[in-house]
Amino acid sequence: MSSWRSWHRPLVLFAAAMAVMTIVSAIGLIVDDRVLAGAAIWFKPFKFAASFAVYALALAWMLTLVTRGRRVGWWAGTVVALSSLVEMAIITGQVVRGKRSHFNHATPFDETLFSAMAVTVVILWTSTLVIAILLLRARIADRASAWAIRSGVLLALVGAGFGFLMTRPTPEQRAAGNLDTADVIGAHSVGVPDGGPSMPLTGWSTTGGDLRIPHFIGMHALQLLPLFLLALVSLAPRFPRLRDPRVRLRLVLVASAAYAAVVALVTWQALRGQPLIHPDGATLGAAALIAVASATGAFGALRPAPVRRRTGPDSGSCSDADSGTASASASASARKELAP
């Protein structure tokens, strides 16, 4: 991969702005003791800024891998940066006003701001979908790199899509029968009101389901799956099996499938109104099945490749040399695509 200076400039600048916003929000958490919906009022912009920073950097890097439709990719990345910036501006502005940013229908102005956020989310999701399509069509030499990147961006789209589920009226809100006049429509939690007991740092509910969990885990496949492959490449000098590009490809496929299964599991758990930290027997059984299947897949991925010997006076030495050269070449290709 080329130097980080070739990364998508608007996304890099947006990520830098979000890094600054993370610091500003952290200061707000210290000096501002206001609480909104059961959480410190600056907690939401802090989480969003940190998440946007890593999300934007990952996309800025991935756009350097696009081989067809580069101009379309540049515009899609720019739209992601601008729409995300608008969303963060609304979130921060509402914090300054001491108001909720999400699900707020208390006044026409608040409702307009939330509607604007909904539009920016749709635009952001659509632009990311365009980037995903371009990455699916890109010519990426190392197959493991290609699968890590494409699986990551597709799972990120799925994770981002869970945000739309949160905007729907909850069963309790529908039962109240006052959707036309309600101050709040939609929720993060399932089965319990927002603002109840929650986990530290994440703010996820400890008494009910929480759709922010699959939303978060899915979106950050964008970073974690390529980082998983980068770890495999970094460990290859110490572990000979990882020098084989076919082994790395199989491990990436296993990791991608396991990650998708985890996203499905935490989504199922959240929709049943079950807290992440209090799984029932069905959830534990599904988690155990995923763990066993993943371990079995990883064991199979690490199996030695069958040795094929050709008859001839110099077949052995040529075969070994060719195999070593191919593995070294593939490892170098993976490093080039994954490391700045």
Side-chain angles (χ1 to χ4, degrees):
M1 189 184 72
S2 55
S3 167
W4 66 268
R5 292 180 179 83
S6 67
W7 292 14
H8 188 275
R9 185 66 58 84
L11 281 170
V12 171
L13 292 175
F14 172 69
M18 290 303 97
V20 173
M21 189 62 208
T22 302
I23 297 172
V24 171
S25 301
I27 295 172
L29 286 169
I30 296 171
V31 303
D32 191 340
D33 59 0
R34 290 180 296 167
V35 174
L36 184 64
I41 199 167
W42 283 96
F43 190 42
K44 184 181 289 290
F46 176 82
K47 291 193 300 181
F48 268 74
S51 181
F52 268 139
V54 295
Y55 187 83
L57 282 178
L59 280 183
W61 159 61
M62 288 182 178
L63 281 168
T64 65
L65 303 175
V66 171
T67 55
R68 289 183 285 182
R70 286 181 177 272
R71 181 173 292 276
V72 174
W74 188 91
W75 280 109
T78 302
V79 170
V80 167
L82 291 176
S83 58
S84 301
L85 184 62
V86 171
E87 184 175 1
M88 272 304 301
I90 294 173
I91 291 172
T92 306
Q94 288 292 74
V95 165
V96 173
R97 296 179 65 231
K99 305 291 184 180
R100 293 178 65 128
S101 54
H102 288 71
F103 322 127
N104 192 346
H105 297 261
T107 68
F109 181 67
D110 291 321
E111 189 169 13
T112 299
L113 289 178
F114 180 59
S115 297
M117 288 178 60
V119 172
T120 63
V121 170
V122 172
I123 293 173
L124 189 157
W125 191 91
T126 304
S127 300
T128 305
L129 175 62
V130 171
I131 295 172
I133 293 171
L134 293 175
L135 287 170
L136 287 172
R137 300 176 65 232
R139 298 186 183 92
I140 301 175
D142 181 67
R143 294 180 65 198
S145 300
W147 272 99
I149 292 164
R150 292 164 180 168
S151 298
V153 73
L154 290 175
L155 284 170
L157 281 169
V158 173
F162 291 125
F164 299 113
L165 296 179
M166 303 179 202
T167 62
R168 300 184 306 174
T170 66
E172 294 78 13
Q173 291 167 351
R174 291 184 184 278
N178 62 340
L179 294 180
D180 292 336
T181 58
D183 290 345
V184 176
I185 301 176
H188 299 123
S189 302
V190 178
V192 295
D194 280 349
S198 60
M199 297 170 60
L201 189 60
T202 63
W204 298 336
S205 176
T206 57
T207 56
D210 201 314
L211 289 168
R212 288 173 294 185
I213 299 170
H215 180 63
F216 175 87
I217 294 175
M219 285 189 65
H220 290 290
L222 192 71
Q223 300 89 39
L224 294 178
L225 287 175
L227 284 175
F228 172 74
L229 176 58
L230 184 60
L232 294 181
V233 173
S234 300
L235 291 171
R238 293 187 179 183
F239 300 95
R241 292 296 303 130
L242 297 181
R243 297 172 194 167
D244 189 337
R246 294 167 298 180
V247 170
R248 293 198 298 270
L249 172 61
R250 292 195 292 261
L251 287 172
V252 165
L253 292 174
V254 170
S256 299
Y259 203 106
V262 169
V263 171
L265 175 63
V266 295
T267 304
W268 179 54
Q269 185 181 19
L271 290 173
R272 289 186 295 137
Q274 185 179 109
L276 179 69
I277 60 175
H278 298 300
D280 61 10
T283 302
L284 289 173
L289 184 62
I290 293 171
V292 170
S294 301
T296 303
F299 179 79
L302 289 168
R303 70 185 186 278
V307 178
R308 296 181 179 179
R309 295 187 178 278
R310 294 176 297 172
T311 58
D314 52 353
S315 59
S317 59
C318 290
S319 177
D320 292 343
D322 291 344
S323 176
T325 301
S327 296
S329 176
S331 182
S333 176
R335 287 180 182 276
K336 183 178 179 181
E337 285 164 345
L338 288 169

